[in-house]
Amino acid sequence: MEPNIKEVAGRIRALREDMDLTLQEMAEATGRSTAEYAAQESGEEDLSFTFLYKCAEKFGVDVIELLTGENPHLTGYSLTREGAGLSIKRRAGFEYLHKAPHFRHKLAEPFVVTAPYLEEEQDVPVHLSHHEGQELDFIISGQMRFAYEDHEEILNPGDVVMYDSGRGHGMIATGGEPCVFLAIVMKPEGEKII
């Protein structure tokens, strides 16, 4: 199942209106200008995971509720088989497969991410983003150019990088092929992701 961008944007708008939040308040919460936020809330622009995560945080809901309109309901454990999960295609061809979308009160968000190899990204600075908490990325296949503020590393299969995701970070596939990695996004100090 892949969320429809217009439906997700509609849920974001409805929650903002229900909570009596202004476009300006949401723009500040998501780190965008009011015009950029309005374009994303209307579904005119793609919705990055960072944007969705920050919206969910401001609304006090699970990011899965924004994506599907359903609140996660499983407790105890959640099993997601090979190739299954909630598919999210965002950010210049990046594909995120959420591996525990129905588990409630998560301490972390687990994704299998496929970053496409794009020749035009190879000789330019890596775009940096940030979101509260920490992230762990485990390279499964391919090669990643990982940027963290003014540092860069080349990561290969089996390599793991863990970092404070509240600071500027970004990644691209390099080496001529897509990079597949397990990304685990964690809330600060073990807070539950609602």
Side-chain angles (χ1 to χ4, degrees):
M1 175 172 124
E2 186 179 327
N4 176 299
I5 190 170
K6 291 286 188 184
E7 290 175 5
V8 175
R11 283 190 277 278
I12 291 170
R13 184 186 67 252
L15 279 167
R16 179 184 60 77
E17 291 172 351
D18 285 350
M19 298 178 78
D20 290 324
L21 295 169
T22 66
L23 287 172
Q24 179 63 36
E25 289 171 314
M26 286 305 296
E28 289 171 10
T30 58
R32 283 150 177 75
S33 70
T34 303
E36 290 169 333
Y37 176 83
Q40 289 190 294
E41 184 186 85
S42 69
E44 293 171 22
E45 288 189 14
D46 204 5
L47 308 175
S48 69
F49 176 73
T50 300
F51 174 79
L52 293 168
Y53 186 81
K54 288 180 177 182
C55 285
E57 187 174 64
K58 181 71 174 175
F59 297 144
V61 302
D62 192 299
V63 72
I64 300 304
E65 191 171 339
L66 292 180
L67 292 168
T68 66
E70 298 177 18
N71 204 355
H73 55 279
L74 296 178
T75 59
Y77 80 96
S78 170
L79 172 65
T80 305
R81 299 284 184 187
E82 170 75 24
L86 178 64
S87 177
I88 308 165
K89 292 183 182 178
R90 299 288 177 257
R91 194 185 142 214
F94 272 60
E95 294 182 22
Y96 295 79
L97 189 60
H98 196 297
K99 297 303 285 187
H102 304 296
F103 191 77
R104 221 177 154 173
H105 301 301
K106 292 181 277 299
L107 298 177
E109 299 279 355
F111 297 92
V112 172
V113 182
T114 302
Y117 175 82
L118 300 172
E119 186 65 42
E120 62 270 17
E121 291 182 334
Q122 303 307 306
D123 295 320
V124 297
V126 175
H127 171 75
L128 303 180
S129 61
H130 60 41
H131 51 85
E132 283 190 52
Q134 297 177 346
E135 186 168 332
L136 180 143
D137 297 335
F138 173 82
I139 308 306
I140 297 169
S141 66
Q143 192 175 60
M144 173 194 288
R145 188 169 116 209
F146 172 76
Y148 188 81
E149 295 183 328
D150 59 349
H151 302 279
E152 282 199 6
E153 302 285 346
I154 299 296
L155 306 177
N156 295 294
D159 289 348
V160 174
V161 62
M162 186 167 180
Y163 50 93
D164 174 353
S165 54
R167 296 166 67 178
H169 64 278
M171 61 278 300
I172 63 167
T174 192
E177 63 182 306
C179 178
V180 179
F181 59 100
L182 173 66
I184 301 175
V185 179
M186 297 161 275
K187 287 288 277 184
E189 299 180 30
E191 291 177 21
K192 289 183 179 176
I193 298 175
I194 299 173

